[in-house]
Amino acid sequence: MLSLLNTHNTYLKCKTTLIIQVSGLCLFAWLCQLAAHSVHSIIPGSVIGLGVLLVLLSCKWVPEKIVNQGSAWLIGDLLLFFIPPVVAMTKYKLILESYGAELIICMLLASTSVLLGTAFIVDKLFKFERQQRLNNITSQRLRAV
């Protein structure tokens, strides 16, 4: 009974952490969008936010564990972010009838390039992270010997 209660508490803690991290990332993106809009930047706030977050994580001013679970969830469910363009496409049938083939080809090419670019970057980041962990484990074992 106690282990079941501990499992339930761990599950709730994990989900709460996920919600807080995703909310924090959304708030950060929204703040960066506001900043980009206020300075009339041609670069979207989300891109500025990614750059700022990359710098903060690289300089270790923001610990990785603060955004790790939320960012993994967002990357895992990235496909959900492609649903609004599909809904918009069904709303504008006249445009789709006139330029349907060109739009579909452009959307497929754009989606494919975004997915391939994202997959490439995520793969490189995971390999880098794995190498960092391997180096840390190796250095800890060498110190122990």
Side-chain angles (χ1 to χ4, degrees), residues 7 20-21 25 43 51-52 56 60 64 70 88-89 105 107 117 124 137 141-142 144:
T7 304
I20 290 171
Q21 287 184 3
L25 288 170
I43 301 172
V52 169
L56 292 174
K60 301 200 184 295
E64 181 185 333
M89 287 294 292
I105 290 171
M107 284 182 59
K124 291 293 181 189
I137 291 171
R141 287 184 180 169
L142 288 176

Side-chain angles (χ1 to χ4, degrees), residues 7-68:
T7 304
H8 182 68
N9 283 340
T10 304
Y11 176 77
L12 282 178
K13 184 179 178 183
C14 183
K15 292 300 177 186
T16 304
T17 303
L18 177 66
I19 290 170
I20 290 171
Q21 287 184 3
V22 170
S23 299
L25 288 170
C26 290
L27 178 66
F28 185 70
W30 181 71
L31 289 174
C32 288
Q33 185 66 34
L34 280 178
H37 184 71
S38 67
V39 297
H40 305 289
S41 172
I42 59 170
I43 301 172
S46 57
V47 174
I48 293 172
L50 283 174
V52 169
L53 187 59
L54 178 65
V55 169
L56 292 174
L57 287 170
S58 297
C59 295
K60 301 200 184 295
W61 291 338
V62 172
E64 181 185 333
K65 66 180 183 179
I66 287 180
V67 295
N68 195 11

